[in-house]
Amino acid sequence: MHIADGIAYGDEPEEIEIVSARVLSYHILILTFSNGETRFFDGTLLDGPVFEPLKDRKIFEDFSINYGVITWANGTIDCSPEFMYDHSYEYTPPAGIKNAASAGNAEQIQMQDIKR
């Protein structure tokens, strides 16, 4: 059994993947997951020696999505989508924006839209 969005389900949750991502501001990513949710992730949560290069804004912003996982530095640094989902905040896009992570204008997305 698992609980998602306040609903209890009898089956196990499906493996979650990241389907799209955008840098919103310094070390903040807005991610869309395979379950259809769009969420904010604070990259400063990535701590430890392996993530040290991500303190450089250029490196942090130069990511790719490989098989549902965000990677940096040509795939030498990654973070599991489960961690990113579990440590992110719900986001409800403003009217007219269906997928905030792939929206063309990141300025439309405001930090006060984060629900904690």
Side-chain angles (χ1 to χ4, degrees), residues 10 73 79 96 101 113:
C79 183
D113 293 327

Side-chain angles (χ1 to χ4, degrees), residues 43-55 77-78 83:
T44 62
L45 295 173
L46 301 174
D47 194 28
V50 70
F51 297 113
E52 194 67 26
L54 300 182
K55 289 182 179 179
I77 302 171
D78 65 29
F83 178 88

